[in-house]
């Protein structure tokens, strides 16, 4: 009597469909649950942080369109009518227009000078090996850790002896010196990530070092220049200590000095609506610059960090 035996399963050939027994087991539901909880927690922290940052800005903008009585009687309510005269009063009577113009001149000149000088110094430190290269690089880094408070008194005498006290161009030079260490540190790391083959090809074609830098390497470093330019713009626009010490002329005050003067004078007058209007005027250029260039800032940071 013949018995039938079950044949042994043949090994799966290449290209054969995978059966259900060959598929990997599904992940335990516990890991998925933990990931969902962590994701919800991180998103909650981000929402809370955004609320803490955005709400004071929105409240300041809303208050700038109220009258003084509404500011104290209903501080959290929307304005009944938009009082645009608060802005015109702060712009003309509080001399915010003059302070704004002085700030644009100082920050614009210092920003251009910082980017030009900082990019040239960073390119040389990143691309050329010479005696003292690392010493100069670490000297710039050391300038980042030097407190500005320790340099105010000697800086005042140096600027005064040079005849640059209470001048726009003197303040521009001080801003450039104040911003150069961080600019050189940031752009040196960025220039090191750029490919050297393009610069070598330019040298083979007969281009000089200056032409290679301005026409080839500098356009390639545009993301880094935009990023460090935004950081310098924020720091120079909001600078208060340096102009307070080096710029005591009332006709040449910058915006931060004007806001302090506006807070003192309008506080005594009780014109709180004009004070908030001036505050929003000083805040809008910074917000506009970040909103316009936020993508370039992120690209510059990631491009400088990854090679």
């Amino acid at each position: 009597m013949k018995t039938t035996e079950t044949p042994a399963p043949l090994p799966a050939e290449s290209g054969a469909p995978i059966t259900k027994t060959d598929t990997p087991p599904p992940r335990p539901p516990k890991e998925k649950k933990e990931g969902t909880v962590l994701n919800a927690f991180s998103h909650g922290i981000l929402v809370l942080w955004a609320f803490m940052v955005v709400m004071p800005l929105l409240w300041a903008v809303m208050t700038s369109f109220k009258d003084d009585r509404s500011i104290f009687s209903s501080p959290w309510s929307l304005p009944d009518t938009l009082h645009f005269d608060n802005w015109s009063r702060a712009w003309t009577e509080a001399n915010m227009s003059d302070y704004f113009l002085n700030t644009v001149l100082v920050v614009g000149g210092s920003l251009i000078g910082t980017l030009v000088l900082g990019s040239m110094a960073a390119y040389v430190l990143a691309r050329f090996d010479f005696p003292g290269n690392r010493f100069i690089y670490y000297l710039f880094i050391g300038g980042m850790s030097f407190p500005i408070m320790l340099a105010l008194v000697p800086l005042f005498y140096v600027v005064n002896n040079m005849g640059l006290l209470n001048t726009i161009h003197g303040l521009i030079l001080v801003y450039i010196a104040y911003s150069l260490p961080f600019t050189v540190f940031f752009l040196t790391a960025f220039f090191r990530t750029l490919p050297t083959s393009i610069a070598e090809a330019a040298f083979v074609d007969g281009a000089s070092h200056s032409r290679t830098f301005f026409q080839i390497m500098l356009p390639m470093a545009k993301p880094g220049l935009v990023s460090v330019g935004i950081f310098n713009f924020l720091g120079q626009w909001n600078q208060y200590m340096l102009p307070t010490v080096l710029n005591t002329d009332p006709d040449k005050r910058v915006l931060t000095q004007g806001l302090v003067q506006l807070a003192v004078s309008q506080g005594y007058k009780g014109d709180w609506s004009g004070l908030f209007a001036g505050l929003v005027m000083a805040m809008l250029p910074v917000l506009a610059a970040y909103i316009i260039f936020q993508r370039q800032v992120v690209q510059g940071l990631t491009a400088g960090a990854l090679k």
Side-chain angles (χ1 to χ4, degrees):
M1 185 176 180
K2 296 181 178 181
T3 58
T4 58
E5 296 179 358
T6 303
L10 297 176
E13 298 179 358
S14 60
I18 300 175
T19 60
K20 293 183 179 180
T21 57
D22 297 328
T23 58
R27 290 183 177 181
K30 184 178 180 181
E31 294 183 2
K32 184 177 181 181
K33 184 177 180 180
E34 291 179 355
T36 304
V37 172
L38 183 60
N39 206 9
F41 178 75
S42 60
H43 281 74
I45 294 296
L46 291 177
V47 170
L48 179 61
W49 178 259
F51 179 81
M52 294 173 61
V53 172
V54 173
M55 280 305 298
L57 301 180
L58 294 180
W59 183 79
V61 174
M62 180 183 65
T63 307
S64 66
F65 291 103
K66 291 183 177 182
D67 55 2
D68 294 331
R69 183 182 57 84
S70 301
I71 292 177
F72 292 98
S73 61
S74 53
W76 300 107
S77 63
L78 295 175
D80 299 332
T81 56
L82 298 179
H83 295 272
F84 290 100
D85 57 318
N86 300 335
W87 290 62
S88 61
R89 189 169 62 255
W91 185 258
T92 56
E93 297 180 8
N95 298 325
M96 292 296 294
S97 58
D98 298 335
Y99 302 149
F100 198 91
L101 178 60
N102 293 336
T103 305
V104 170
L105 293 177
V106 172
V107 175
S110 60
L111 194 60
I112 294 174
T114 301
L115 292 180
V116 172
L117 297 177
S119 60
M120 295 172 66
Y123 177 74
V124 172
L125 292 175
R127 293 290 180 174
F128 298 96
D129 292 330
F130 55 90
N133 182 300
R134 304 308 297 173
F135 174 76
I136 298 176
Y137 175 71
Y138 288 122
L139 196 63
F140 277 108
I141 295 180
M144 296 173 55
S145 60
F146 189 79
I148 194 62
M149 296 291 295
L150 297 180
L152 287 179
V153 175
L155 185 62
F156 175 84
Y157 286 105
V158 169
V159 174
N160 188 26
N161 293 334
M162 296 176 63
L164 300 176
L165 197 65
N166 298 327
T167 59
I168 297 295
H169 53 280
L171 203 56
I172 290 175
L173 293 177
V174 173
Y175 276 22
I176 292 175
Y178 173 75
S179 304
L180 267 181
F182 173 74
T183 303
V184 173
F185 169 74
F186 187 93
L187 291 180
T188 300
F190 191 88
F191 276 117
R192 287 173 181 170
T193 63
L194 299 181
T196 58
S197 57
I198 299 178
E200 293 174 354
F203 292 143
V204 171
D205 292 339
S208 61
H209 288 287
S210 60
R211 185 178 180 182
T212 302
F213 171 72
F214 285 105
Q215 295 186 1
I216 297 176
M217 303 305 293
L218 200 61
M220 293 175 61
K222 181 181 177 181
L225 292 174
V226 173
S227 299
V228 75
I230 290 296
F231 292 137
N232 287 329
F233 172 76
L234 296 178
Q236 294 173 4
W237 186 272
N238 297 322
Q239 181 61 240
Y240 174 71
M241 188 64 65
L242 289 176
T244 300
V245 176
L246 304 176
N247 186 26
T248 57
D249 189 354
D251 296 331
K252 297 178 181 179
R253 288 173 177 168
V254 296
L255 203 55
T256 51
Q257 294 175 287
L259 281 177
V260 174
Q261 181 64 27
L262 180 62
V264 175
S265 61
Q266 302 301 77
Y268 285 115
K269 295 178 183 178
D271 190 5
W272 298 99
S273 56
L275 175 60
F276 277 99
L279 175 64
V280 176
M281 287 180 189
M283 183 177 60
L284 285 180
V286 178
L287 292 178
Y290 182 76
I291 292 174
I292 294 173
F293 296 105
Q294 60 177 338
R295 182 176 299 177
Q296 286 81 357
V297 171
V298 176
Q299 291 177 354
L301 292 176
T302 55
L306 301 177
K307 184 174 181 179

